[in-house]
């Protein structure tokens, strides 16, 4: 197999529309609603819409942080590079490692429901078998692994098909839910307030789960080296993507509160959307929404694979992980070694998951554990944005709010729910979440001692980056032959 080491990712593959689709698919609206609504309801009851609302506000701060950092450093590692260059390389490595671990855990947490739903379409009794669900889920995972290996262009084409059908089904059922007479409860504005939370710790638990709902939009940053005009496109797509999924999450969570009783939600578990569809359109609705969830699950497996393989690629390129991970296939322009490693590790986890209990047990523990790691690296990225732009924050009210106050609010919120939720999680979730981060200390210390250049970074400073860009623009105006070339990444 011919390969090339070094940068190698194919530039300008994705346009703005493609990137928006990837951002929406990364958050996986149908999958997130199906997999997490029962967990969210068990944690905060009718306050699910409020948890999603109050998590969306600081989450937008993190989106703004990613957007601004992406303007001054185009890097497939995203927060791994940004945090390392602004706060400390150790924190940067752990930030990237948190994404790698959470994404790898999600390979199992996402694939198991995909397998169960596929079986349920043919025979609901088959879906109860963890072994069968694992086998079929692994099949879906391998299919997406091959798509991602085939390059960004093939990945986008598959994503457009899957996400397009998924969103069409979801929008249809939102309209149908508006016309349906709820059997459980009448809509109450208190669902968007604080009265249903059980104190600060209860709110933190709900917010941690809500963080998992939104997670995935940052795939646009991991694709920045392959995106056209990514200094603008990646951040814009993330903002649009989070806005779209927020509206979908709120609409369906309110519909679940109105139409399904607490017993229905508990019985539905990870198939709560199927129960909602059956209540809205008996006989057909349940299967249609199961199809939407299946497509969403497979689609987000694809975007998660992109995130973890691009992050490992950046680490291999920096020699902060084995250099082979930075190897790129000459024909497909994909980090094929990173793809192969992720595939092997995930398949081993599939085998191990069969001993952990039912699909629901695995999913419940994984959601909370992944939420911890997401809160950790999102929080660090928010602080990194404030530090990188610290010299520009007082230039205008806009710079202060969008570059300082809002990202800082998002960062502090993420770190608060990280520590606040620790006391509320099960031993399994805490062990997976913190243990996964602790494992990262081993490669971090090893490659630091081996002298990786990543641990001697060029500091990321927005004011210096602006001066460089202005200097480049002036040079381009004097030398038109170079005017059509984009400013290179700071890497």
């Amino acid at each position: 197999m011919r390969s090339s080491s070094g940068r190698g990712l194919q530039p300008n593959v994705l346009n703005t529309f493609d990137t928006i689709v990837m951002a929406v698919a990364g958050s996986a609206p149908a999958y997130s609603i199906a997999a997490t609504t029962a967990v969210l309801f068990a944690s905060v009851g009718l306050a699910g819409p409020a948890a999603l609302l109050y998590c969306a506000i600081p989450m937008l701060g993190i989106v703004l942080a990613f957007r601004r950092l992406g303007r001054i450093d185009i890097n497939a590692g995203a927060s791994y590079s940004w945090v390392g260059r602004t706060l400390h390389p150790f924190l940067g490595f752990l930030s990237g490692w948190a994404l790698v671990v959470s994404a790898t855990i999600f390979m199992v947490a996402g694939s198991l429901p995909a397998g169960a739903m596929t079986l349920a379409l043919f025979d609901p009794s088959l879906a109860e078998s963890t072994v069968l669900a694992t086998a079929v889920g692994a099949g879906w995972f391998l299919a997406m692994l091959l798509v991602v290996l085939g390059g960004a262009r093939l990945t986008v084409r598959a994503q457009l098909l899957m996400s397009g059908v998924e969103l069409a089904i979801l929008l249809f059922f939102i309209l149908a839910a508006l016309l349906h007479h709820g059997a459980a409860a009448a809509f109450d504005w208190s669902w968007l307030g604080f009265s249903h939370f059980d104190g600060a710790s209860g709110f933190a638990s709900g917010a941690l789960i809500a963080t998992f709902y939104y997670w995935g939009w940052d795939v646009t940053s991991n694709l920045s080296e392959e995106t056209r005009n990514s200094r603008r496109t990646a951040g814009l797509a993330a903002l649009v993507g989070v806005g779209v999924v927020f509206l979908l999450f709120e609409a369906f969570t309110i519909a679940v509160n109105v139409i399904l009783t607490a017993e229905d939600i508990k019985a539905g578990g990870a198939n709560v959307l199927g129960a909602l569809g059956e209540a809205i359109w008996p006989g057909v609705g349940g299967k249609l929404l199961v199809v939407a969830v299946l497509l969403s699950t497979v689609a987000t497996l694809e975007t998660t694979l992109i995130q973890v393989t691009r992050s490992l690629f950046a680490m291999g390129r920096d020699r902060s992980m084995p250099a082979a991970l930075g190897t790129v296939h000459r024909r497909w322009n994909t980090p094929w070694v990173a793809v192969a490693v992720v595939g092997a590790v995930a398949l081993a986890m599939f085998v191990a998951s069969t001993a952990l209990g039912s699909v629901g047990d695995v999913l419940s523990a994984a959601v909370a554990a992944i939420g911890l790691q997401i809160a950790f690296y999102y929080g660090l990225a928010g602080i990194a944005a404030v530090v990188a732009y610290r010299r520009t924050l007082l230039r205008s009210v806009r710079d202060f709010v969008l570059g300082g106050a809002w990202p800082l609010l998002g960062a502090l919120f993420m770190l608060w729910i990280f520590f606040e939720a620790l006391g509320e999680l099960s031993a399994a979730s805490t062990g997976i979440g913190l243990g996964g981060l602790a494992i990262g200390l081993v490669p971090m210390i090893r490659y630091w001692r081996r002298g990786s250049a990543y641990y001697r970074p060029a500091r990321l400073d927005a004011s210096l980056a602006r001066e460089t860009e202005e200097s480049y623009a002036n040079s381009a105006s004097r030398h038109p032959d170079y005017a059509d070339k984009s400013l290179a990444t700071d890497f």
Side-chain angles (χ1 to χ4, degrees):
M1 181 177 289
R2 297 178 304 164
S3 63
S4 168
S5 62
R7 181 172 300 278
L9 297 177
Q10 185 176 1
N12 301 323
V13 176
L14 308 180
N15 59 34
T16 302
F17 179 73
D18 295 334
T19 315
I20 290 173
V21 171
M22 297 300 283
V24 173
S27 293
Y31 167 80
S32 297
I33 296 164
T36 321
T37 297
V39 180
L40 183 64
F41 188 86
S43 178
V44 299
L46 295 171
L52 290 166
L53 171 62
Y54 297 120
C55 187
I57 296 171
M59 184 62 75
L60 282 173
I62 303 302
V63 176
L64 290 171
F66 270 69
R67 184 183 188 187
R68 293 172 74 83
L69 287 166
R71 287 178 177 174
I72 56 176
D73 182 16
I74 299 172
N75 193 295
S79 62
Y80 153 80
S81 173
W82 304 331
V83 174
R85 294 182 61 186
T86 52
L87 304 183
H88 194 279
F90 285 177
L91 290 176
F93 181 88
L94 290 177
S95 178
W97 183 259
L99 187 151
V100 168
V101 172
S102 57
T104 305
I105 293 172
F106 179 78
M107 300 306 170
V108 176
S111 297
L112 287 179
M117 284 180 287
T118 302
L119 293 169
L121 289 174
F122 298 97
D123 185 348
S125 63
L126 294 176
E128 301 300 321
S129 170
T130 303
V131 174
L132 281 177
T134 301
V136 177
W140 278 117
F141 169 76
L142 287 173
M144 290 302 100
L145 197 73
L146 293 174
V147 169
V148 170
L149 184 63
R153 199 175 301 279
L154 176 62
T155 300
V156 169
R157 288 173 180 170
Q159 197 61 254
L160 289 172
L161 175 62
M162 293 184 291
S163 296
V165 176
E166 172 202 353
L167 291 177
I169 295 174
L170 290 180
L171 291 174
F172 171 80
F173 275 92
I174 288 175
L175 296 176
L178 290 174
L179 302 175
H180 188 274
H181 298 291
F187 171 75
D188 194 319
W189 285 105
S190 68
W191 296 349
L192 297 170
F194 290 94
S195 60
H196 293 283
F197 291 111
D198 184 18
S201 61
F203 174 73
S205 297
L208 189 70
I209 296 166
T211 300
F212 177 79
Y213 271 81
Y214 291 107
W215 175 55
W217 52 264
D218 48 313
V219 67
T220 61
S221 297
N222 297 108
L223 284 167
S224 62
E225 294 185 30
E226 299 159 88
T227 302
R228 209 172 298 158
N229 190 21
S230 64
R231 292 181 188 275
R232 171 187 174 275
T233 303
L236 174 63
L239 280 172
V240 175
V242 170
V244 170
V245 297
F246 166 73
L247 295 175
L248 291 172
F249 291 156
E250 287 290 354
F252 274 95
T253 307
I254 291 172
V256 167
N257 281 357
V258 170
I259 295 173
L260 300 181
T261 64
E263 291 75 19
D264 293 333
I265 296 172
K266 184 177 180 180
N271 191 34
V272 71
L273 262 189
L276 179 67
E278 191 65 27
I280 293 174
W281 188 1
V284 179
K287 287 190 179 296
L288 274 177
L289 277 178
V290 167
V291 170
V293 176
L294 177 59
L295 289 172
S296 180
T297 307
V298 175
T300 198
L301 278 176
E302 184 186 83
T303 59
T304 308
L305 275 165
I306 288 173
Q307 284 194 279
V308 69
T309 54
R310 268 44 176 191
S311 295
L312 287 173
F313 162 76
M315 291 174 165
R317 182 174 62 188
D318 290 348
R319 306 299 195 269
S320 61
M321 287 282 279
L325 294 172
T327 303
V328 176
H329 193 275
R330 285 189 184 277
R331 179 179 177 185
W332 300 324
N333 293 4
T334 51
W336 68 272
V337 175
V339 172
V341 169
V342 170
V345 172
L347 288 176
M349 292 176 64
F350 280 122
V351 175
S353 69
T354 59
L356 298 179
S358 68
V359 174
D361 294 338
V362 175
L363 191 60
S364 180
V367 165
I370 292 171
L372 277 179
Q373 290 157 354
I374 297 166
F376 176 78
Y377 84 81
Y378 276 178
L380 289 178
I383 294 174
V386 178
V387 173
Y389 279 85
R390 64 191 182 280
R391 302 178 194 272
T392 69
L393 296 182
L394 299 181
R395 291 183 178 179
S396 67
V397 173
R398 175 188 174 89
D399 281 329
F400 179 77
V401 173
L402 300 184
W406 207 341
L408 183 61
L409 167 68
L412 295 177
F413 181 82
M414 292 297 162
L415 295 177
W416 174 73
I417 62 175
F418 175 86
F419 290 107
E420 188 70 25
L422 283 176
E424 299 294 316
L425 297 180
S426 67
S429 295
T430 305
I432 294 170
L434 296 184
L437 284 175
I439 292 171
L441 295 175
V442 176
M444 182 185 79
I445 293 172
R446 178 180 179 183
Y447 285 92
W448 168 64
R449 294 182 66 181
R450 291 179 65 173
S452 166
Y454 172 76
Y455 296 101
R456 301 186 302 276
R459 291 295 171 185
L460 194 59
D461 189 314
S463 60
L464 296 178
R466 284 185 177 182
E467 291 174 8
T468 302
E469 190 163 7
E470 288 170 2
S471 174
Y472 169 82
N474 292 334
S475 176
S477 66
R478 292 193 299 269
H479 302 283
D481 291 341
Y482 298 97
D484 61 340
K485 297 180 181 178
S486 60
L487 182 64
T489 175
D490 293 313
F491 171 77

